[in-house]
Amino acid sequence: MPFELVRPGTQIDFLGKAKVCLVISVALILIGLVSIPLRGFRLGIDFAGGTELHVSFPENEAVDEGDVRAVVQGLGIAGASVIRFGGGGSNEFLIKYASEVEDEALPDVAAEPGGEGEAATVEAADPGVEVAEAAPAAEEPVAPVESELEPPAAAARAAQADEGTVPLVRQQVNQVIASLEQRIGPVELERVDFVGPKVGAELRRAGILALVVACGLILLYIAIRFSTRFAPGAVVALVHDVLVTSGLWVIFGLEFDLRVLAALLAIVGYSLNDTIIVYDRIRENMELRTRANLESVLNEAVNQTLARTLLTSATTLVAVLSLLFLGGEVIRPFALAMAIGIGVGTYSSIFVAAPTLLFLERRFGASPATARA
Amino acid sequence: MSLRWRIIWVGLLVLGLGWAAVANFVPEERRESSEWIPSGMRLGLDLRGGIRMLLAPDLDEAVRLELGHLRNSLERALEDENILVGRLAVVGESTIELELASPGDRDAVRDVVEDYSVLDAEETENGWRLTLGDLQYDQVRRQAVDQSLEVLRRRINDPNTGIQESVVTRQGADRILVEIPGVSEVPDIFARTGFLELDIVLDEEPSEELLQAKYPDGLPEGTRVLVEKDEETGRVTRAYLVNKEPDITGENLSDARPVFDRNEWKVSFTWNGDGAREFGELTEKNRGKNLAIVLDGEVYSAPRIRERISRAGEISGRFSSQQAFDLAVILRAGSLPIPVNLEEERTIGPALGADSIRRGLRASAVGLVLVILFVVLYYRLAGSYAAVALTVNLMLVIGVLSVMRNFATLTLPGIAGLVLTVGMAVDANVLIFERIREELRSGKTVRAAIATGFQKARWTILDANITTLITALILYEFGTGPIQGFAVTLAIGIVTSVFAALVITRMLFMIYPGDRHLEQLSI
């Protein structure tokens, strides 16, 4: 006999417990909302703009987080945060700060004949100090030694380009690295992410729009494939999933960035799978048992598909957990969000989708006999 | 179709894609040297290491500059007509204000103003308010991006920069995306590249051979042959004989723009002081001859010199808008037309990239093994079928990604997508098996139960996967770089996993038990 996770013929009264579940769900969402002012809604640089550096020091000597922070703040960079990356013993740090400069203008180097351009580069690479002097040097047509052909127009233009040849962002980054090397020790720059304020705002907007559009399209699909009375239940379950997952994210003080958004969208698509499994069975049962009481039909459907929903979620969860524990730091936020989302999604398929359907039917719907798929 | 044919077709597909997939594990050198081994997946920047930059040319500045030019042009035109005006200035972001010195001039000024079809003229009490027409406004902005794109591309692709591979494309309406793999520091891509020359054409023929044939004793002293090529085919369309030393270089150009004036497309340009002098002398001496415009040793066009040209002038010659545009871009090639701002930059060092690949692969492998273990233990024989389908599925995804390497890149989130696919692929099989179990419990024969199981589960599987596909598409639409990689991998994975469950698992069931009569099914 095959091993059955759920004994066939199980009859748990899921819909009876609907009220309790409602309370739990609403509570979770409320706690999440309340946490926003308390914990702050932490946005990663993808949405807030800013610069993030991932640096690593050699393994042999332990580096103190406080030291790194001191160095960075000592450079006068406002609001810098330093977090140790990875486990307790790792010498990797995440340095984050908002960029001060609104738009980094990349200078028109070609206005300066080759030689002068190179001179400016050399000076700019020396962090902080001599950058300002590169511009005045360009202003004097006499100063550049290499090129005597330099036309006055080009010199004037070079003076207009208000920085050296290296973009300001890069200058800042180089400053930080140089200081770290001076004050603490050799450091490797693993990753640099810079997001300007315009792009940050755009990504924010796009993110929210994506979530809304996804929910909308899915609503449409369910309405087409099942019927319009099934659709709201699915969407309520979806929205519930997103809100609860986000809420938990806020409660744990985690950051929202593009990866988390991708996970949320993946959850929107995926958590529907369980809901569809249940809906499918409901539809089938409705066709078979047209005279029955709606609540019992729904209950039976959920029970019959219980093994299915639990198993499919469990297997996907196994894969995601593997990613969470083995996938490395960069993918971790995504994996965690997915894991939470799968759990919440399963819960909502069992305890939210069907009860919502029942509620709506009772309030607005016709009798089960006329319910068509 | 019969089982045998089904197996053959499926087998071919799996083998083909499998071959493409397996190629990924062959070291790169062997892959490149052999014709038989296909190239593997294209890796995203976050896995290879490299730089990704989003640049935004300052389009407002472009408009301002354009207005400035138009203002200057107006001034000259008015001077030519000997009209003095009280005031002629650029005001704000997009307006030129003109104040008459005396009301009697209004008609004369109107004539001049009306020639400027690119400006919307609004008569005011004192004179005119001129704004850039919508068409022109958009065109200026578009051109600014195109020119910047052109210059950046040319600069990056120049062999002197040592950058082997790069991507420079438009992103949206007004941004430029630059991706340079394998580089961990922003290279000085703004070092000047591209050498522009203007040479008087001494002789020309439709091909190099014909031209050479004209000089059987060798080319005249101090000359060389330059060719003009068709942009798309690369074929030589014309060969020119010019002096070895460039007559004029583009060093002294200070600006060049296409203009649509008096119903013709022309290229208007300006020299700085030295350039003006030189060019004036050259064109004076060579009226009626052709002037080859050469960039990096290749002739782009050779219009006829109609008159002496000095400080500012136009090159006209029945250009199409595209030709005028191209020529202006080329003339300006050495310098960016406007400042370019950095809006986003992501740099991944190669160490982190390689590390991410390693971890991602490990996670995928472990995930696959765990899921296979589970499914075999729980569903026994059927489970082993699912395991086969799962492995094939993973191979198919990787294979498709490898084959579609021009459209799909594997990124780190993409690897996560692969893992997700593994998890989701099982779902379809679970649905089928649970259904079969249910049918068996209700007393159906093994054969009937299998058939019904597949049939009943089919639409549930499709519905579930289509909704996930919808979100994958949305992710692709709204996402950037790495996220799009995730969306693509997810989408491909969904398709292959549905295929794997409905076709491959089914096929295995058809092989055994197939038509046999079984009492019990190991499921």
Side-chain angles (χ1 to χ4, degrees):
Chain A
M1 280 307 298
F3 171 67
E4 294 276 1
L5 182 68
V6 174
R7 200 167 41 83
T10 316
Q11 288 287 340
I12 305 176
D13 183 15
F14 289 107
L15 274 92
K17 302 185 167 46
K19 290 226 170 60
V20 177
C21 301
L22 181 69
V23 169
I24 298 178
S25 293
V26 171
L28 275 173
I29 295 177
L30 278 179
I31 296 178
L33 282 174
V34 162
S35 304
I36 293 179
L38 288 180
R39 297 293 227 117
F41 197 76
R42 298 192 52 205
L43 292 176
I45 61 162
D46 291 330
F47 297 121
T51 312
E52 193 173 272
L53 303 175
H54 177 180
V55 298
S56 70
F57 295 93
E59 301 276 304
N60 42 10
E61 250 182 63
V63 176
D64 181 46
E65 204 175 304
D67 288 340
V68 178
R69 193 172 297 123
V71 170
V72 175
Q73 284 174 343
L75 284 171
I77 297 175
S81 85
V82 176
I83 309 172
R84 190 184 291 273
F85 210 52
S90 98
N91 264 350
E92 292 180 25
F93 298 92
L94 219 52
I95 304 172
K96 213 164 70 127
Y97 54 88
S99 276
E100 266 127 29
V101 193
E102 279 280 313
D103 283 315
E104 329 298 323
L106 296 168
D108 180 3
V109 176
E112 308 150 29
E116 187 197 15
E118 269 146 37
T121 314
V122 169
E123 282 170 58
D126 204 305
V129 187
E130 270 143 279
V131 174
E133 290 164 28
E139 269 173 295
E140 311 161 60
V142 186
V145 183
E146 284 83 343
S147 165
E148 272 150 302
L149 298 168
E150 186 210 337
R157 242 144 124 244
Q160 260 177 17
D162 37 350
E163 36 282 295
T165 57
V166 179
L168 273 187
V169 169
R170 267 286 153 168
Q171 283 170 10
Q172 251 180 352
V173 170
N174 290 344
Q175 277 178 31
V176 173
I177 297 297
S179 293
L180 285 175
E181 273 188 346
Q182 266 175 8
R183 310 266 291 278
I184 300 184
V187 67
E188 192 78 41
L189 183 59
E190 305 277 359
R191 175 171 61 92
V192 177
D193 281 343
F194 161 71
V195 177
K198 262 194 244 172
V199 173
E202 280 174 24
L203 286 174
R204 267 202 310 272
R205 217 173 17 101
I208 296 180
L209 194 60
L211 279 170
V212 169
V213 170
C215 288
L217 283 178
I218 284 170
L219 176 66
L220 195 64
Y221 184 79
I222 300 280
I224 294 173
R225 286 283 303 143
F226 293 84
S227 86
T228 42
R229 49 210 323 166
F230 280 78
V235 172
V236 166
L238 273 185
V239 171
H240 163 274
D241 293 342
V242 172
L243 286 179
V244 170
T245 309
S246 306
L248 285 171
W249 213 253
V250 173
I251 292 173
F252 292 134
L254 299 170
E255 222 175 60
F256 279 89
D257 58 19
L258 276 177
R259 295 166 294 186
V260 177
L261 179 70
L264 282 178
L265 277 168
I267 289 169
V268 164
Y270 182 78
S271 89
L272 208 57
N273 290 4
D274 287 343
T275 313
I276 285 176
I277 293 172
V278 177
Y279 272 12
D280 209 55
R281 180 46 66 91
I282 292 175
R283 178 171 53 181
E284 200 179 306
N285 287 0
M286 271 178 170
E287 280 165 8
L288 292 174
R289 302 177 45 192
T290 48
R291 293 173 147 277
N293 159 268
L294 185 61
E295 183 167 345
S296 73
V297 170
L298 293 178
N299 246 331
E300 195 178 322
V302 176
N303 274 288
Q304 283 168 335
T305 54
L306 193 60
R308 235 151 298 193
T309 48
L310 289 177
L311 283 170
T312 54
S313 300
T315 50
T316 314
L317 197 60
V318 160
V320 169
L321 285 177
S322 153
L323 204 54
L324 182 63
F325 292 120
L326 298 174
E329 297 298 328
V330 185
I331 207 70
R332 182 157 305 173
F334 174 86
L336 183 60
M338 279 300 309
I340 295 177
I342 291 172
V344 175
T346 314
Y347 166 84
S348 77
S349 299
I350 299 173
F351 292 104
V352 173
T356 311
L357 191 61
L358 185 67
F359 170 76
L360 288 173
E361 284 294 307
R362 281 191 175 148
R363 266 301 211 87
F364 307 106
S367 69
T370 62
R372 241 185 335 105
Chain B
M1 86 176 60
S2 75
L3 182 60
R4 172 156 311 169
W5 276 113
R6 190 179 280 237
I7 295 178
I8 291 177
W9 283 121
V10 170
L12 281 175
L13 181 70
V14 169
L15 275 175
L17 286 173
W19 178 234
V22 164
N24 280 290
F25 297 98
V26 170
E28 199 157 332
E29 311 84 47
R30 274 196 70 196
R31 253 187 274 159
E32 276 171 25
S33 58
S34 157
E35 268 182 33
W36 288 108
I37 306 179
S39 18
M41 297 181 279
R42 175 181 296 177
L43 294 179
L45 238 50
D46 57 349
L47 293 178
R48 266 161 98 172
I51 297 179
R52 179 176 187 270
M53 289 189 287
L54 205 57
L55 303 171
D58 189 348
L59 298 181
D60 292 332
E61 178 70 19
V63 171
R64 253 176 269 133
L65 282 175
E66 179 71 15
L67 274 178
H69 290 308
L70 284 169
R71 182 216 157 276
N72 294 342
S73 171
L74 255 178
E75 192 175 55
R76 281 198 298 278
L78 287 170
E79 271 172 19
D80 286 345
E81 301 287 326
N82 287 321
I83 304 174
L84 276 175
V85 289
R87 179 163 163 265
L88 182 63
V90 173
V91 170
E93 289 282 320
S94 53
T95 321
I96 299 175
E97 275 182 10
L98 189 157
E99 275 172 31
L100 294 168
S102 84
D105 290 333
R106 190 172 278 269
D107 289 329
V109 172
R110 187 180 297 119
D111 279 339
V112 174
V113 166
E114 273 173 6
D115 273 335
Y116 285 79
S117 50
V118 298
L119 288 171
D120 287 339
E122 188 194 316
E123 287 201 40
T124 64
E125 214 184 286
N126 301 346
W128 269 268
R129 185 177 302 121
L130 305 159
T131 46
L132 210 53
D134 282 336
L135 205 67
Q136 186 74 348
Y137 182 80
D138 288 335
Q139 191 191 311
V140 166
R141 288 171 78 91
R142 217 178 343 117
Q143 259 168 230
V145 177
D146 286 337
Q147 285 177 346
S148 307
L149 196 60
E150 185 71 31
V151 171
L152 287 175
R153 236 185 227 145
R154 204 174 289 127
R155 288 184 180 181
I156 287 186
N157 290 333
D158 186 278
N160 291 331
T161 59
I163 295 174
Q164 314 268 49
E165 219 189 300
S166 67
V167 170
V168 181
T169 55
R170 204 177 247 248
Q171 177 100 318
D174 52 4
R175 290 210 180 107
I176 297 173
L177 176 67
V178 176
E179 284 185 347
I180 310 176
V183 169
S184 52
E185 273 227 9
V186 175
D188 189 10
I189 66 173
F190 302 106
R192 192 168 71 173
T193 65
F195 185 55
L196 173 80
E197 351 160 7
L198 304 178
D199 300 317
I200 297 294
V201 174
L202 305 169
D203 199 354
E204 58 179 291
E205 287 296 327
S207 79
E208 254 190 0
E209 297 81 19
L210 283 174
L211 190 56
Q212 298 276 13
K214 263 180 157 174
Y215 302 94
D217 297 328
L219 296 173
E221 177 134 26
T223 63
R224 60 191 160 132
V225 172
L226 297 175
V227 294
E228 187 177 4
K229 294 190 192 150
D230 178 67
E231 287 216 17
E232 286 173 358
T233 64
R235 254 183 340 107
V236 172
T237 52
R238 208 150 181 81
Y240 301 89
L241 187 71
V242 298
N243 285 323
K244 262 221 176 76
E245 292 300 311
D247 295 298
I248 301 255
T249 65
E251 226 173 29
N252 293 323
L253 262 186
S254 71
D255 194 15
R257 293 160 301 121
V259 292
F260 186 71
D261 196 22
R262 299 168 213 258
N263 282 321
E264 231 192 295
W265 278 107
K266 304 172 188 163
V267 176
S268 152
F269 60 87
T270 45
W271 295 102
N272 57 36
D274 289 332
R277 201 175 18 90
E278 275 181 280
F279 201 53
E281 287 168 19
L282 187 72
T283 49
E284 174 78 49
K285 276 191 290 193
N286 292 286
R287 255 188 268 208
K289 295 221 189 105
N290 283 8
L291 183 69
I293 298 175
V294 184
L295 189 67
D296 289 333
E298 191 185 318
V299 178
Y300 273 65
S301 72
R304 172 151 296 145
I305 302 172
R306 288 199 190 159
E307 56 179 3
R308 177 203 173 98
I309 314 172
S310 57
R311 175 165 199 92
E314 292 169 347
I315 302 177
S316 59
R318 282 197 292 275
F319 293 132
S320 67
S321 68
Q322 186 63 44
Q323 282 172 326
F325 167 75
D326 284 344
L327 187 55
V329 171
I330 287 157
L331 286 177
R332 287 192 52 90
S335 53
L336 285 169
I338 38 173
V340 173
N341 298 331
L342 181 67
E343 292 210 345
E344 192 185 331
E345 181 199 317
R346 305 211 189 232
T347 308
I348 309 251
L352 193 62
D355 189 49
S356 299
I357 297 182
R358 232 175 351 107
R359 288 181 195 262
L361 285 180
R362 194 150 27 120
S364 313
V366 169
L368 183 67
V369 165
L370 285 177
V371 169
I372 285 181
L373 216 64
F374 167 78
V375 99
V376 168
L377 284 175
Y378 195 78
Y379 289 110
R380 301 178 298 169
L381 178 68
S384 63
Y385 288 171
V388 169
L390 271 179
T391 320
V392 167
N393 177 37
L394 199 55
M395 232 170 47
L396 287 178
V397 178
I398 297 179
V400 171
L401 279 174
S402 307
V403 165
M404 279 177 56
R405 66 194 313 276
N406 290 323
F407 301 105
T409 336
L410 182 68
T411 60
L412 184 59
I415 294 184
L418 278 179
V419 176
L420 210 56
T421 308
V422 167
M424 282 164 36
V426 179
D427 292 2
N429 287 296
V430 167
L431 287 178
I432 296 169
F433 297 165
E434 281 298 314
R435 195 72 212 215
I436 295 178
R437 275 190 182 182
E438 209 177 307
E439 298 293 327
L440 284 173
R441 270 199 301 272
S442 75
K444 287 213 171 73
T445 65
V446 166
R447 218 172 121 196
I450 294 175
T452 322
F454 272 96
Q455 187 206 357
K456 288 274 173 76
R458 180 179 312 141
W459 268 107
T460 316
I461 294 174
L462 284 174
D463 282 335
N465 281 295
I466 287 176
T467 50
T468 318
L469 196 61
I470 291 178
T471 49
L473 290 174
I474 291 178
L475 262 175
Y476 186 82
E477 182 62 37
F478 288 92
T480 62
I483 302 289
Q484 281 179 319
F486 169 68
V488 169
T489 317
L490 193 63
I492 295 175
I494 290 171
V495 172
T496 56
S497 69
V498 168
F499 173 80
L502 292 180
V503 175
I504 295 191
T505 314
R506 181 111 193 275
M507 210 175 71
L508 290 169
F509 271 110
M510 287 202 260
I511 296 174
Y512 180 88
D515 282 335
R516 296 177 192 72
H517 181 67
L518 286 183
E519 289 294 326
Q520 264 190 351
L521 183 61
S522 166
I523 187 172

